[in-house]
């Protein structure tokens, strides 16, 4: 397989040589994987059979992507899943805080504001981070670091506590 990929790809000679030298075959492992996939019931967790030492997965999967997180858990079973970051095409806004189980705003990436969202779905005032209240819902509004643009992401969060000027929060849904 590796030789087929190398022939089919235009690669720099150093990379090709490195793969050829380090890409030795492991027929026993190939047989083991073939057996796992032949017997696998894809409705039950099976990834720990492929990677027995798999302890956790770190990946994005909040908001609208949560559906894929749940599908992944179907294959991973009890493996701990961390949503490593909260990001969009506009930037990386938060990292996952393992201790709290919440996202932590990264103050170095953008300027953040929070539009109040009431239980009936109506909107309230736009607030700076220091005025956000624990347990309340807000729509996240960003201004990029250069100040060039400002807009609502459409994501609704539930605010947690402020810690050293950083907000802990959960992503609830997209409007």
């Amino acid at each position: 397989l590796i030789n087929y990929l190398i022939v089919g790809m235009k690669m720099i000679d150093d990379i090709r040589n490195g793969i050829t030298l380090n890409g030795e075959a492991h027929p026993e492992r190939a047989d083991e994987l073939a057996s796992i996939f032949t017997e696998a019931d894809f409705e039950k967790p099976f990834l720990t059979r492929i990677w027995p030492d798999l302890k956790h997965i770190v990946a994005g999967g909040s908001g609208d992507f949560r559906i894929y997180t749940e599908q992944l858990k179907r294959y991973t079973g009890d493996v701990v899943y961390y949503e490593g970051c909260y990001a969009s095409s506009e930037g990386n806004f938060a990292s996952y805080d393992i201790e709290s189980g919440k996202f932590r705003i990264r103050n170095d990436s953008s300027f953040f504001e929070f539009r109040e969202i009431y239980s009936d779905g109506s909107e309230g005032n736009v607030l700076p981070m220091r005025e956000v209240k624990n347990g309340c819902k807000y729509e996240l509004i960003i201004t990029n670091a250069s100040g060039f643009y400002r807009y609502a992401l459409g994501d609704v969060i539930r605010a947690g506590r402020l810690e050293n000027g950083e907000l802990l929060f959960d992503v609830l849904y997209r409007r």
Side-chain angles (χ1 to χ4, degrees), residues 128-153:
M129 192 177 333
R130 68 181 176 277
E131 294 180 22
V132 167
K133 294 184 178 111
N134 190 350
C136 293
K137 291 182 185 179
Y138 299 92
E139 180 178 18
L140 189 58
I141 300 171
I142 64 155
T143 301
N144 72 332
S146 67
F148 187 65
Y149 59 87
R150 173 187 185 252
Y151 65 95
L153 289 176

Side-chain angles (χ1 to χ4, degrees), residues 108-134:
D108 62 345
S109 62
S110 299
F111 177 75
F112 300 96
E113 297 172 285
F114 304 84
R115 179 179 291 128
E116 297 172 307
I117 304 294
Y118 300 115
S119 58
D120 64 1
S122 64
E123 299 175 356
N125 294 320
V126 174
L127 306 172
M129 192 177 333
R130 68 181 176 277
E131 294 180 22
V132 167
K133 294 184 178 111
N134 190 350

Side-chain angles (χ1 to χ4, degrees), residues 7-162:
V7 170
M9 297 171 65
K10 294 179 180 176
M11 301 175 74
I12 299 172
D13 287 337
D14 290 346
I15 295 172
R16 180 182 300 120
N17 292 335
I19 291 173
T20 303
L21 292 174
N22 298 316
E24 62 188 62
H26 296 278
E28 300 84 17
R29 180 64 174 153
D31 290 342
E32 181 183 357
L33 290 172
S35 174
I36 289 169
F37 281 103
T38 301
E39 300 166 10
D41 176 355
F42 293 103
E43 296 303 315
K44 295 180 182 174
F46 67 92
L47 289 183
T48 52
R49 290 185 59 204
I50 296 170
W51 297 291
D53 295 329
L54 182 63
K55 303 292 183 232
H56 64 270
I57 295 172
V58 178
S62 63
D64 286 349
F65 289 98
R66 182 141 298 145
I67 186 172
Y68 303 110
T69 303
E70 295 306 316
Q71 289 177 0
L72 181 63
K73 288 179 182 178
R74 186 174 79 193
Y75 303 123
T76 60
D78 294 332
V79 172
V80 177
Y81 183 89
Y82 297 112
E83 296 173 356
C85 66
Y86 172 64
S88 71
S89 56
E90 295 79 23
N92 183 1
F93 306 123
S95 56
Y96 188 74
D97 184 82
I98 293 172
E99 280 185 28
S100 69
K102 297 183 180 302
F103 287 104
R104 178 182 294 276
I105 288 272
R106 293 187 44 183
N107 288 327
D108 62 345
S109 62
S110 299
F111 177 75
F112 300 96
E113 297 172 285
F114 304 84
R115 179 179 291 128
E116 297 172 307
I117 304 294
Y118 300 115
S119 58
D120 64 1
S122 64
E123 299 175 356
N125 294 320
V126 174
L127 306 172
M129 192 177 333
R130 68 181 176 277
E131 294 180 22
V132 167
K133 294 184 178 111
N134 190 350
C136 293
K137 291 182 185 179
Y138 299 92
E139 180 178 18
L140 189 58
I141 300 171
I142 64 155
T143 301
N144 72 332
S146 67
F148 187 65
Y149 59 87
R150 173 187 185 252
Y151 65 95
L153 289 176
D155 292 339
V156 175
I157 66 164
R158 176 172 290 117
R161 68 185 182 277
L162 273 171

